[in-house]
Amino acid sequence: MGFDDAPYGHCDLIFDNVRVPVTNRLGNEGEGFALVQTTLGVGRIQLGMGCVGAAERALQEMCSWVETRVIGGRPLVERGVVTDAIARSRIEIDQARAFLVYTANLVQTQGIKAARSEVSQAKVLAPEMAVRVIDRAMQFHGGAGFSYDTPLAEMWAHQRTVRIGEGADEVHRELVGKFELTRQRAFRAASKPAAQ
Ligand SMILES: Cc1cc2nc3c(=O)[nH]c(=O)nc-3n(C[C@H](O)[C@H](O)[C@H](O)COP(=O)(O)OP(=O)(O)OC[C@H]3O[C@@H](n4cnc5c(N)ncnc54)[C@H](O)[C@@H]3O)c2cc1C
């Protein structure tokens, strides 16, 4: 979307007839995917933290803009719809932050396996929240929200990628749904009255 994170950035890599010596292999044959997955759990919490940071910055931008922008003789901040958007943003940011702390604590105390549903929930919840908050900030900036004068457009583009990178939202929701169904089945089985 025009923001390529230069000078490092993101690129396509093409592996054409690549051979890697066995001595360079990490771990055992056939376990590569599992090995890669072990790094992703913590990475997804870290991505979520980035989403919270971006949303905080967007809220700062929104609050300072609406105090100074005067429309029809009144500062924008005097419109109820603006304070409502600010309140919604604060509530959503704090919800996401609290859930990330909860998930990080679960990973630390019970291990990544016990927190697989929560990590996926965080991966879906945090960028959705960030995109929503940044979008609101852009809306109240009007045309300026799409310019390079504020960081909002770039932040929106980056946060939007998080809904796809490290597993698309749909894949994580599918996982969360499966964990929930398993949990509910176990709950029903445990609460079934014993046969007389
Ligand atoms: C900016 C950016 C940076 C990235 N950085 C990295 C990186 O550092 N390392 C890395 O390994 N990868 C990276 N990626 C790649 C990223 O992980 C993939 O783009 C992502 O996993 C989706 O794969 P895909 O693009 O092949 O889309 P596809 O797998 O083709 O999916 C396309 C769409 O289909 C739908 N979909 C997919 N699966 C399902 C399903 N099971 N159920 C329902 N719907 C589904 C979703 O809507 C999804 O968005 C990056 C991507 C972006 C955009």
Side-chain angles (χ1 to χ4, degrees):
M1 297 183 83
F3 307 104
D4 63 359
D5 272 353
Y8 304 107
H10 297 274
C11 56
D12 290 335
L13 296 177
I14 297 170
F15 297 100
D16 184 12
N17 202 21
V18 176
R19 297 183 68 82
V20 179
V22 173
T23 48
N24 288 21
R25 192 177 64 211
L26 302 174
N28 297 319
E29 191 172 352
E31 294 177 3
F33 186 69
L35 187 67
V36 170
Q37 288 287 318
T38 58
T39 68
L40 288 179
V42 177
R44 284 166 184 156
I45 295 173
Q46 190 192 350
L47 270 180
M49 290 158 61
C51 297
V52 169
E56 282 286 3
R57 176 68 195 273
L59 185 55
Q60 277 175 10
E61 294 286 330
M62 176 158 58
C63 289
S64 63
W65 177 268
V66 297
E67 297 260 28
T68 53
R69 174 72 174 148
V70 175
I71 300 174
R74 288 164 62 201
L76 202 46
V77 73
E78 288 182 10
R79 265 83 173 181
V81 70
V82 174
T83 38
D84 188 69
I86 291 169
R88 282 172 190 271
S89 303
R90 170 49 58 214
I91 292 165
E92 290 167 19
I93 294 170
D94 286 353
Q95 279 176 339
R97 181 187 283 111
F99 189 76
L100 283 163
V101 171
Y102 165 76
T103 304
N105 187 52
L106 200 63
V107 171
Q108 197 161 10
T109 55
Q110 298 185 35
I112 195 77
K113 211 170 166 188
R116 277 183 298 173
S117 173
E118 285 76 6
V119 166
S120 282
Q121 289 176 54
K123 165 62 184 58
V124 172
L125 176 154
E128 273 185 1
M129 175 282 297
V131 167
R132 221 169 26 240
V133 171
I134 297 166
D135 188 81
R136 274 185 206 125
M138 289 170 78
Q139 185 70 17
F140 289 123
H141 276 73
F146 293 82
S147 72
Y148 297 116
D149 293 348
T150 81
L152 295 171
E154 183 169 359
M155 288 198 309
W156 189 93
H158 281 305
Q159 294 306 315
R160 186 62 185 82
T161 67
V162 183
R163 292 191 51 204
I164 290 176
E166 297 220 13
D169 285 5
E170 290 87 347
V171 179
H172 286 283
R173 280 199 299 268
E174 193 175 15
L175 200 81
V176 172
K178 282 181 179 162
F179 276 121
E180 189 57 27
L181 285 167
T182 307
R183 201 176 70 87
Q184 295 281 345
R185 281 184 204 120
F187 176 72
R188 281 199 303 275
S191 49
K192 220 173 175 175
Q196 297 295 319

